[in-house]
Amino acid sequence: MTTPAPGIDPAEFQLMRRYIESHCGLHLSDEKTYLVDTRLTPLMAELGCRSFYELHAKASADTSHALRDRIIDALTTHETLWFRDSSPFAFLEAEVLPKLAARARAGAREATRIWCAACSTGQEAYSTAMTVLECARSAVGPPARLVEIVATDVSPSVLFLARAGRYDGFAMGRGLPDHMRERYFTRSGELWAVGEEVKRMVRFEKHNLQDSFGRLGVFDVVLCRNVLMYFADELKRDILQRMRAALRPGGYLLLGSAESPAGYCDRFELVKHGRGVFYRLA
Ligand SMILES: C[S@@+](CC[C@H](N)C(=O)[O-])C[C@H]1O[C@@H](n2cnc3c(N)ncnc32)[C@H](O)[C@@H]1O
């Protein structure tokens, strides 16, 4: 291993900032210089790069994009937990899934489609699947076999963990009610595995929110939570307008608690439920 020269200089920071923003949308303010430095220095050491210029040149020349993925992985935040913020899942249970069940009962042929955009290690998509299963069990939601959940992320490493669906005690302890753990997981050694009933409802795919949503199809519900806040205004506007186009009429958009379409896309009406605020295509 070569030890990189200590510290990132301002020109190197600008170079890496442009690189990361163009490849995953992450907008880094000047205060994030330390983050680029501390998170990429171990990768540089591993690759024998003596400067960020060298790392940038290597990544730009790597046609497999493996190094680009590692840089994105190192700089993006993957924080997530089960039933995060709870209110979106209460909203799905109380309003969204009963409406979709009524549509299915009225003879609609199409399956209910839910998209978890920026799904990280899978907790949000599996929490959604468990909510669907619970609602189907009590007959307030559509039958689970008629619900398809597509979960996407730009980061291959989080998708690998999401697809594996195995979580350690620390991850399991974050937000998952005991009765859900007992009902939908099996223990194997130190890990807990998501049961097949939940797992088969979710399809994980690599997808960058900067790219077209065309191949993903149309959705009744889009959860895009705790990711837009990392993007610049122009990209937020572009994503929200394309999400509007990816929603069926009357479809729902569920954002993170600090995020809103206001000022970026005016086609959503606000729906309040409990302590949460959600958006419906007007
Ligand atoms: C903070 S996590 C949020 C996870 C989950 N939605 C939640 O709220 O718990 C943000 C996720 O967004 C993903 N991400 C960042 N930029 C992305 C992009 N351009 N396209 C798709 N996913 C992206 C990251 O890899 C990360 O897994």
Side-chain angles (χ1 to χ4, degrees):
M1 271 199 211
T2 312
T3 310
I8 183 168
D9 72 33
E12 286 179 309
F13 176 66
Q14 294 305 335
L15 186 70
M16 293 313 296
R17 166 151 80 180
R18 277 198 301 276
Y19 180 84
I20 190 80
E21 187 157 8
S22 73
H23 289 296
C24 83
L26 176 61
H27 179 74
L28 296 164
S29 59
D30 288 342
E31 296 79 65
K32 293 286 160 44
T33 307
Y34 78 94
L35 185 114
V36 174
D37 196 2
T38 53
R39 295 217 185 149
L40 293 184
T41 297
L43 182 60
M44 285 165 58
E46 182 192 320
L47 298 171
C49 299
R50 278 157 304 169
S51 71
F52 286 88
Y53 296 114
E54 262 187 53
L55 179 68
H56 182 270
K58 248 191 179 52
S60 305
D62 171 19
T63 51
S64 76
H65 303 310
L67 182 50
R68 181 185 73 190
D69 287 345
R70 290 192 67 188
I71 293 173
I72 291 175
D73 255 359
L75 291 175
T76 44
T77 302
H78 302 135
E79 163 68 8
T80 190
L81 45 92
W82 304 101
F83 297 96
R84 186 172 189 175
D85 299 334
S86 74
S87 58
F89 302 94
F91 180 61
L92 284 174
E93 185 178 337
E95 172 159 340
V96 180
L97 292 167
K99 271 204 178 137
L100 293 168
R103 188 184 72 183
R105 278 195 300 275
R109 292 227 195 107
E110 64 270 24
T112 292
R113 300 194 75 237
I114 302 175
W115 177 21
C116 288
C119 63
S120 189
T121 41
Q123 284 89 331
E124 181 176 80
Y126 290 135
S127 299
T128 304
M130 287 185 269
T131 305
V132 169
L133 284 164
E134 290 292 299
C135 288
R137 199 183 275 265
S138 53
V140 297
R145 69 187 155 74
L146 299 181
V147 180
E148 184 190 357
I149 301 169
V150 179
T152 61
D153 202 285
V154 72
S155 157
S157 71
V158 295
L159 288 169
F160 178 79
L161 296 171
R163 285 193 188 102
R166 281 192 285 277
Y167 299 91
D168 62 18
F170 177 72
M172 292 298 285
R174 302 187 67 208
L176 186 68
D178 289 352
H179 72 278
M180 292 289 211
R181 188 190 59 219
E182 297 311 318
R183 189 170 283 171
Y184 295 113
F185 290 78
T186 51
R187 188 165 194 164
S188 79
E190 296 295 297
L191 300 179
W192 294 82
V194 183
E196 272 312 305
E197 189 187 12
V198 177
K199 221 173 172 188
R200 67 168 164 256
M201 292 184 65
V202 187
R203 193 177 84 229
F204 290 100
E205 280 186 38
K206 183 169 190 265
H207 177 265
N208 186 336
L209 287 166
Q210 292 171 304
D211 297 339
S212 161
F213 303 160
R215 73 177 166 85
L216 301 172
V218 289
F219 296 93
D220 300 289
V221 185
V222 174
L223 293 94
C224 181
R225 305 174 60 224
N226 305 303
V227 64
L228 292 178
M229 59 194 186
Y230 296 109
F231 299 157
D233 284 352
E234 200 181 322
L235 180 59
K236 273 186 211 164
R237 181 172 299 106
D238 173 47
I239 289 173
L240 286 164
Q241 293 187 353
R242 289 184 294 121
M243 281 187 170
R244 166 183 57 78
L247 276 168
R248 287 183 174 139
Y252 293 89
L253 176 66
L254 279 51
L255 300 177
S257 54
E259 297 160 332
S260 155
Y264 301 110
C265 180
D266 58 7
R267 289 285 310 281
F268 291 102
E269 57 189 28
L270 196 139
V271 187
K272 286 192 176 161
H273 182 269
R275 283 182 298 120
V277 172
F278 309 100
Y279 305 94
R280 183 169 47 215
L281 198 55

